Amino acid sequence: MAPPPDHTAPSGRRQAPPVDELVATGRAAGLAALGVAPAEPFERTRGDLEERKAAGLHGGMQFTYRNPARSTEPSRILDGAMALVVGAYGYRREAPEADSDAARPVARVARYAWEDHYARLRDGLDAVADVLRAGGWRAVVVADSNALVDREAAVRAGIGWYGKSSNVLLPGAGSWFVLGSVVTDAPLAPAAEPVEDGCGGCRRCLDGCPTGAIVAPGVVDARRCLAWLVQADGPFPVEWREALGDRIYGCDDCQEVCPPNRRRRGEPAAASPPDAEAEVDLLELLAASDDDLLARHGRWYIPRREPRYLRRNALVALANTATGDHPDVAATLTGCLRDDDPLVRAHAVWAARRLGREDLLAMMAPEDDPDVCEELARR
């Protein structure tokens, strides 16, 4: 194995590795794009987060909203931080071939959750961080955490621009990317100019959102966003249950209608690995144990790691996709109406009624849980 490059200047002082070297390392490790930004506070982003949180637009979401002063200050991650090396990992894939029985109801999984793309993103960022550490610099990898607003880092690093959906779009490549950063004390110079807005007058993401959650260009009301609602705790909001359709985790609608993403449909996409999961058998999910659900779907965000929320989402999707007279569907509903968990029973009531199986409700035991009683009383 070749020794690491020597970045010591003739004077004996350390020199930061060339940005080109870091970019080449990241690309060799699978990253689609890299850029460098100064590790200055994201003051405007902090103001936006605080303003939207005060208006309730976060919908209880903690991701980067928990402490805006922290998630917009890179030096909170690494004291003495000088630069951010920001990377993007592409997750545009061909859908795996469906292997489910056409007669059984299934639900869709958003593309970013078909497999663990963040693990591959971190691998690429770790390779970049290793180069920095080999030169004596400190480096911390941050991805998919409350510690940093990755999208703002990517825009500052010249990787892409904020689309009206609030996703970051890469020029010529669209928005099918996960983002992360290496925070370092190496004095790296920015490698690119900011990318100009490429959305123009287009508003397809705003008009295409099934719940109207994109309330203004770049502003999402999480209280209406299906991608957040499947991750939020409590009952699934009644007003958005039908809009959930056949989704079980995430929502890709704003990306599916985005012209830069649509233009790439004619280009070959990478094949999905055999274990990629683009859909879930709903009856199988509702029959699984807690341990089995966490083993299979544990990398998804599940409130407090409680599988009851997967069952909640599955019952809503079942109600939107199944046929009430299917014997396996009726048996599943009957079991859920008798479940020990009132959250499951409440959503089973809604599902049974939506599927025209009022007869199943008549067989329920006397109920005293307020949420279940509210569902029973709903018409």
Side-chain angles (χ1 to χ4, degrees):
M1 180 180 293
D6 185 359
H7 297 303
T8 304
S11 63
R13 296 181 59 187
R14 285 181 303 161
Q15 287 184 325
V19 170
D20 287 349
E21 179 186 339
L22 299 177
V23 171
T25 298
R27 285 187 173 276
L31 300 184
L34 293 99
V36 173
E40 299 170 351
F42 302 170
E43 295 290 356
R44 180 174 177 179
T45 302
R46 175 179 177 177
D48 288 342
L49 289 173
E50 291 174 341
E51 180 180 329
R52 294 174 192 181
K53 187 174 182 179
L57 296 179
H58 69 311
M61 183 191 304
Q62 295 300 307
F63 190 77
T64 69
Y65 277 106
R66 180 177 297 161
N67 185 346
R70 183 188 69 175
S71 58
T72 58
E73 176 53 85
S75 66
R76 299 278 191 107
I77 300 168
L78 178 68
D79 185 41
M82 294 289 291
L84 307 174
V85 184
V86 187
Y89 178 81
Y91 62 87
R92 181 173 172 265
R93 301 284 187 274
E94 291 288 349
E97 186 173 344
D99 59 0
S100 57
D101 182 342
R104 290 172 66 87
V106 296
R108 288 180 291 155
V109 177
R111 285 176 183 268
Y112 76 88
W114 288 3
E115 53 185 293
D116 192 354
H117 301 294
Y118 277 103
R120 293 167 177 80
L121 170 67
R122 292 187 187 93
D123 288 343
L125 295 173
D126 280 334
V128 173
D130 286 344
V131 172
L132 290 162
R133 293 175 188 134
W137 305 100
R138 292 177 295 153
V140 178
V141 171
V142 180
D144 192 32
S145 78
N146 282 308
L148 192 68
V149 183
D150 291 319
R151 288 173 300 163
E152 177 63 17
V155 170
R156 289 187 175 215
I159 284 181
W161 78 91
Y162 278 118
K164 291 180 181 176
S165 64
S166 84
N167 293 307
V168 171
L169 284 87
L170 278 63
S175 61
W176 302 113
F177 296 89
V178 288
L179 306 167
S181 299
V182 179
V183 186
T184 180
D185 60 353
L188 303 173
E193 295 294 323
V195 176
E196 293 185 5
D197 173 77
C199 292
C202 178
R203 51 172 293 123
R204 292 190 185 182
C205 58
L206 283 82
D207 297 334
C209 177
T211 61
I214 308 174
V215 295
V219 181
V220 176
D221 185 344
R223 296 168 296 188
R224 307 169 67 142
C225 178
L226 296 174
W228 165 242
L229 293 176
V230 295
Q231 299 181 19
D233 61 7
F236 199 96
V238 175
E239 61 269 32
W240 307 125
R241 290 179 186 175
E242 291 186 28
L244 186 66
D246 65 344
R247 302 170 184 85
I248 186 69
Y249 191 78
C251 176
D252 285 332
D253 282 28
C254 64
Q255 299 193 87
E256 292 284 1
V257 300
C258 180
N261 289 334
R262 293 174 67 86
R263 282 196 291 270
R264 296 195 68 198
R265 289 184 178 177
E267 303 173 13
S272 294
D275 60 347
E277 192 167 38
E279 61 182 29
V280 173
D281 183 306
L282 291 170
L283 300 182
E284 182 181 289
L285 186 154
L286 288 166
S289 68
D290 284 1
D291 289 344
D292 287 343
L293 288 177
L294 289 177
R296 182 168 181 176
H297 306 295
R299 60 184 172 79
W300 294 355
Y301 178 81
I302 305 169
R304 294 183 295 280
R305 313 303 298 158
E306 295 179 5
R308 64 195 303 236
Y309 292 106
L310 293 176
R311 298 188 180 98
R312 174 201 66 182
N313 298 342
L315 281 163
V316 176
L318 184 75
N320 291 330
T321 59
T323 302
D325 58 3
H326 190 294
D328 292 341
V329 172
T332 295
L333 288 173
T334 299
C336 290
L337 289 167
R338 297 171 179 170
D339 197 276
D340 292 338
D341 186 344
L343 184 73
V344 173
R345 295 200 305 276
H347 287 77
V349 168
W350 185 83
R353 183 166 284 144
R354 178 158 167 73
L355 291 173
R357 296 306 305 261
E358 290 271 356
D359 58 309
L360 300 180
L361 305 184
M363 296 187 290
M364 291 181 67
E367 185 62 65
D368 59 4
D369 180 83
D371 289 336
V372 182
C373 291
E374 182 179 353
E375 287 291 349
L376 287 166
R378 197 189 307 278
R379 286 293 186 272

